[in-house]
Amino acid sequence: FVGSRETAYGDDLTSDARLRTFFLTGTDVSTRFFRLFDVKTDAAGLNINGLRHIITPTVGYAYDHTPTIPASKLRQIDGVDGITYSNNRASLGLSNTLQTKRDKKAVDLASLMISNTYYFRPKTGPGSYMGDYLFDLDLWPYSWMSVISDATYSHRYNYFNYVNYDVSFNITPERSFSLGQRYVRRDSSEFTTGSDWRLSPKWKLGFYERFQVRDNASVKRGLRYQEYRVSRDLHCWIMDMAYSSERDHGDTIWLIFKLKAFPGTQFKLDQSYHQPKPGSSAYYSNK
């Protein structure tokens, strides 16, 4: 593959509007191996009718050319502005998927993806190096239950930097409950919970909360974020009303109208209020 990212800047630190070009190219190669196992069981209600183990190794290479405008001449707004040097890297991945048949259809029971990236002589740093290992583990033991998790492991220091997981229970269509945890080493450990519940054909409720479970130098224990939603079916429209509150960032009320025929198109109105605490990066907005 080859590609080019073109970013137009209204102005930069030294001149008027300019076009920044960022060229990239690379290749990806993958294949699949699988084996069938004649296993049939309904132990614990798993309803397994045969198993298929699929192994998918992947190898990739990518090269990013140095942008035509150095990052030092731009106001840094997002990650695209910060791209500075050319980059050569190779990615390695190994996916394992376990499937069975239910109602004559193939369904996934478990999926594990392990990947890493090797950087060749980057412009910054001591030299070539191997990045962190990325783990993605997804489980679907039942049609109404799923476990989605991911983690980042540093092989240089032999510890996990990030670990996240979510357990979801889809009791009936549009009636679900989930809980999870967000762990960042030496920074935070948050417990999350949420639910979306259809009360009637016209009304649906939902909530989401994050609770910090331990104190540290930068984060205090307690409820850090909460959001409560109400959805109303207006025949051709869906109206969403919500209230959210985040510690040190103030409170927000927002209102969204969506066409049922075009759910991706939204008309949004939100109002942030309550003066944040000193040092907060929140600001007042009225859109």
Side-chain angles (χ1 to χ4, degrees), residues 22-262:
F22 176 52
F23 176 77
L24 55 95
T25 185
T27 183
D28 291 305
V29 179
S30 67
T31 188
R32 296 204 313 168
F33 305 94
F34 71 90
R35 184 176 179 180
L36 301 177
F37 299 90
D38 187 14
V39 178
K40 293 186 178 181
T41 180
D42 195 30
L46 290 175
N47 188 23
I48 294 177
N49 300 287
L51 290 175
R52 177 166 60 182
H53 181 205
I54 304 173
I55 299 177
T56 307
T58 59
V59 179
Y61 170 79
Y63 168 73
D64 302 334
H65 194 271
T66 303
T68 56
I69 301 177
S72 59
K73 294 185 178 180
L74 300 173
R75 294 184 176 89
Q76 298 300 305
I77 299 175
D78 56 23
V80 175
D81 303 326
I83 299 174
T84 304
Y85 302 107
S86 60
N87 193 314
N88 287 274
R89 61 191 182 277
S91 59
L92 305 173
L94 183 65
S95 171
N96 284 267
T97 302
L98 197 61
Q99 296 180 330
T100 189
K101 276 192 174 183
R102 292 172 180 166
D103 298 326
K104 299 182 180 181
K105 295 181 180 179
V107 296
D108 292 344
L109 291 175
S111 176
L112 173 63
M113 178 68 181
I114 303 175
S115 60
N116 206 326
T117 301
Y118 186 83
Y119 297 88
F120 298 97
R121 293 180 296 177
K123 296 291 184 179
T124 58
S128 302
Y129 69 95
M130 180 76 77
D132 295 335
Y133 286 97
L134 306 180
F135 297 87
D136 288 279
L137 175 63
D138 300 336
L139 305 173
W140 303 273
Y142 306 100
S143 60
W144 49 268
M145 178 182 177
S146 63
V147 180
I148 309 298
S149 61
D150 63 86
T152 302
Y153 181 81
S154 173
H155 69 92
R156 287 176 291 180
Y157 303 106
N158 296 320
Y159 56 65
F160 283 95
N161 292 315
Y162 308 96
V163 178
N164 305 306
Y165 70 83
D166 289 286
V167 182
S168 300
F169 303 91
N170 299 307
I171 302 171
T172 60
E174 295 192 281
R175 291 182 178 180
S176 63
F177 175 79
S178 62
L179 53 89
Q181 187 175 9
R182 308 285 179 267
Y183 168 79
V184 181
R185 189 176 186 270
R186 293 183 176 178
D187 184 55
S188 67
S189 179
E190 293 183 340
F191 178 79
T192 66
T193 181
S195 177
D196 285 293
W197 203 268
R198 172 69 66 181
L199 295 178
S200 69
K202 295 292 185 181
W203 293 94
K204 184 170 70 171
L205 301 179
F207 77 91
Y208 175 78
E209 294 179 343
R210 294 202 321 262
F211 185 88
Q212 176 69 21
V213 298
R214 67 181 185 185
D215 294 326
N216 59 41
S218 60
V219 183
K220 298 298 183 181
R221 180 179 179 182
L223 189 63
R224 293 194 55 81
Y225 181 84
Q226 52 186 323
E227 179 182 302
Y228 305 97
R229 304 179 300 275
V230 178
S231 295
R232 166 70 178 178
D233 191 325
L234 301 176
H235 187 61
C236 293
W237 295 78
I238 295 177
M239 180 182 66
D240 292 332
M241 298 174 290
Y243 163 79
S244 64
S245 177
E246 184 172 8
R247 186 193 298 178
D248 300 333
H249 288 272
D251 302 346
T252 302
I253 292 177
W254 46 271
L255 184 66
I256 293 179
F257 291 91
K258 296 182 291 186
L259 280 168
K260 295 177 69 174
F262 305 96

